[in-house]
Amino acid sequence: QVQLVESGGGSVQPGGSLRLSCVASGASFSISSMGWFRQDPGKEREGVAVMDSGGYTTYADSVKGRFTISKGNGKNTVYLEMNNLKPDDTSMYYCGVSPGAPSSGSELWVGWYNYWGQGTQVTVSS
């Protein structure tokens, strides 16, 4: 059973920074893609940033230049460095894992990701 544990959320002022961490364990398969998604109440979950096993990254347009996804020393660990945070970044952030390789051009589609963490809240407010 795959378990994903996220940490690092919190409350910051606009312009501030946060770093999210996600550790995956229990996978009996090779993880093809791992990344970060966010979801507001009553809205669909959306992709923020993902990285495949080869290190290729994909970002949502709204976070390009501000967020950076990276892998930890352990291959099943990913981080999301979030800089210059804006109130619109306020959301519940989830880590997701895809056992299969997402099709090119749709890496951020949530349907590829079968396993999810419990989420960590990020609040950006003055």
Side-chain angles (χ1 to χ4, degrees):
Q1 184 75 9
V2 179
Q3 289 189 323
L4 302 176
V5 179
E6 304 114 329
S7 60
S11 296
V12 295
Q13 293 185 339
S17 299
L18 283 173
R19 188 191 196 209
L20 306 183
S21 301
C22 175
V23 179
S25 61
S28 60
F29 51 87
S30 295
I31 294 174
S32 290
S33 185
M34 195 168 175
W36 293 95
F37 300 75
R38 62 189 182 190
Q39 186 172 20
D40 295 333
K43 295 187 177 181
E44 293 186 352
R45 191 167 297 183
E46 62 177 13
V48 175
V50 298
M51 176 180 281
D52 70 12
S53 57
Y56 181 79
T57 58
T58 305
Y59 294 93
D61 288 344
S62 60
V63 306
K64 283 181 181 177
R66 300 188 298 121
F67 291 10
T68 303
I69 188 170
S70 62
K71 284 186 178 180
N73 289 332
K75 60 181 180 179
N76 290 345
T77 301
V78 290
Y79 304 104
L80 186 67
E81 187 75 34
M82 305 185 292
N83 297 315
N84 191 20
L85 282 160
K86 303 176 181 180
D88 283 349
D89 295 318
T90 296
S91 191
M92 184 70 79
Y93 284 72
Y94 296 89
C95 178
V97 159
S98 172
S103 296
S104 178
S106 66
E107 291 88 350
L108 293 173
W109 182 53
V110 296
W112 293 119
Y113 298 81
N114 305 93
Y115 303 95
W116 299 96
Q118 80 287 352
T120 185
Q121 178 68 37
V122 171
T123 302
V124 185
S125 174
S126 56

